[in-house]
Amino acid sequence: MSNITYIQVLLPLRLEWEPFYALPEGVSAVEGERVAVIFAHRRYVGVVSAVGVEPPGETLAQVKTILKKEEELPLVSPEEIAFWRAISEYYLCSVGEVYKAAYPQIHVRKRKKELRIPEALPPTAPIRLSAAQQQAFDSVQKAFARNKTVLLEGVTGSGKTEIYLQLIAEALRKGRSALYLVPEIALSRQLEERVAASYPAVLCYNSALTMAKRRDVAEILCSGKPYLVLGTRSALFLPHRNLGLVIVDEEHDTSYKQDSPAPRYHARESSIMLAGIHGAQVILGSATPSLESLYNAEKGIFNRVQLKQRFHSGEDASLLVVDTVAERRKRGMEGDLSRKLLYEIQQTLEAGEQVLLLRSRRAYAPAVQCVECGTIPKCPHCNVSLSLHKDPDRLVCHYCGHTEAYTGTCPQCGGSLQALGAGTQRIEEEIKAVFPTARVARLDSDNASEEASIIKSFAQGEIDILIGTQIITKGFDFENLSLVGVIQADNILGQQDFRADERAYQLLEQFRGRSGRREKPGRFVIQTREPDHPVFARLEGEADLTPMLLVERRQFGYPPYTRLVHIVLKDENEKRLQYLAQELARAIQEAVGPVVGPYAPVVDRVAGKYIRQMRLMLPRDKTLLVRKQSLAQTVARFENERKYAGHIVIDVDPV
Ligand code: ADP
Ligand code: ZN
């Protein structure tokens, strides 16, 4: 028997196992400590995941000694490691990949000054809840007492945020910490001021912070005093201590899902895992809950609490659906804008109020086409048309960023190119032409760096008309906004996805919620070629879409009745891709169950790589975990045997 102590170490890598290391003589270690080690000729800082273990005999000779202990780095708690393991198991990635996401920067310099740890408790008296709010608050408390996750469904402006603030006060009073998640950084900025009015010590956290700021937040959390974090999804991976409450606001929002890299987690489901580890309560809030959450409420897994009235007596914005095909026939259109919408804008401006216009495509035009030969210039690296941008004129690929100068002449025949359709830039141009004295601005991902200042200017009334993409539909609160308009709802409705109607409804209802948040009811104008679409009937309050959508989902075996998993393959060689995708589908079919695909997605080549996809709809029963594990193993084995690592991605619960 040797007297060497062996440990296992979690490395920030896509590695299915935790390698063994020896400790130098006289050195001890505990789980959660960080150590520097060499793995495959490279140096890493890992986390000790087991101490006093015995490496398998045949590998003993190869076990290396650690380089050193990283004693200045804080200890990783058992709760953190438990959370990483839960995420890894659910989303079929390695624990190391989660560790890497949680600790993106290993080497942080030591701080010179002591960090001041603020008191999180509220310095102001809480606002008095209305009777409806109080009732909702009591129902939430009752559900929490039974350890139920709460789905708080309340129209925009019903006072959900005030309820969250009081729940936070409760948690802090009990000496527990609180995590308040929002889907977007811009949203967290607007909320920051409001939350800080009650909790000056609120800690804001998102991926735009510098590493030093992130470390400061992490350090405050580790101090052991109750805290309040307001953040985006990555805040889940902070070193949480004694968490008592997790709030997931706008729970339906797809920004909660991380697309890439692994872990491809959804913050809503992950919050529930994290809360389970800490014994914390979870509240999910939305005006338009996801079908997944409504289903969970129906099953009694969640407790649904509703707030039906707006706090201020304002009604929902009244809806006007404009049929653009009919209007064009009647000469009721000026370019892309209907006279009906222009009239509404005019009225709003005359009343000294503000207008928000949604066009869900950025750029001047989504494509250009040759008037002579019909050619539509495409990206050389992706299977998509190039968008026309102005200032300066250029053609841009919205998938890979490829940019070309725009000469206005066809590369094929030299004929002249014409803009096809209108993006935000063109709408801005048209609006400025009709309302030359109005203060007009645009917000989309082309000027996202100015997002904070544009949102602020609009909130302060320095902009009359703001045109933007989806970003402007989210939970912002603009006091003087009374008209919201959708320029071309058709590409919001017409997506090839089983979630298209749900998404379209959520987006439009959220957008409607931006207007008329105070006493006055707002107005909502939608321009569309499909005025009879069922989503509009739902917006009119004529029909509840949910039962219909749920029936459809059940019939076709879609979530929430099943668990959806996508397997995505990418390869610059299309032939090899097609062949291996079919082989993999066969292997999965044998080991796990029926596979749909492989098929080419709508955009089947991006950044020089062809794409094939397949989907599995796994039954939500006792076999689920086993099937998922066998899927992961099958893919790992396939990657090994076919030497195809790096080409395959597993995406659990894709959105
Ligand atoms: P939601 O989060 O559901 O959109 P908010 O919490 O933002 O709703 O409330 C809408 C508006 O009503 C806000 O301006 C908020 O300050 C105000 N409000 C909500 N509840 C109260 C209350 N109990 N007392 C005073 N104002 C309130
Ligand atoms: Zn491209």
Side-chain angles (χ1 to χ4, degrees), residues 127-130 133 155-162 194 311-312 517-518:
I127 222 164
R128 261 185 66 115
L129 295 181
S130 69
Q133 281 172 315
V155 294
T156 310
S158 57
K160 297 185 291 297
T161 310
E162 294 302 333
R194 186 164 166 198
F311 180 80
H312 298 291
R517 284 177 63 87
R518 296 300 184 270

Side-chain angles (χ1 to χ4, degrees), residues 399-420:
Y399 280 76
C400 75
H402 169 86
T403 303
E404 295 177 8
Y406 179 65
T407 56
T409 51
C410 174
Q412 298 293 329
C413 76
S416 57
L417 293 172
Q418 188 184 36
L420 268 190

Side-chain angles (χ1 to χ4, degrees), residues 1-6 54 60:
M1 267 293 283
S2 70
N3 52 4
I4 302 173
T5 306
Y6 292 100
E54 207 48 54
L60 208 54

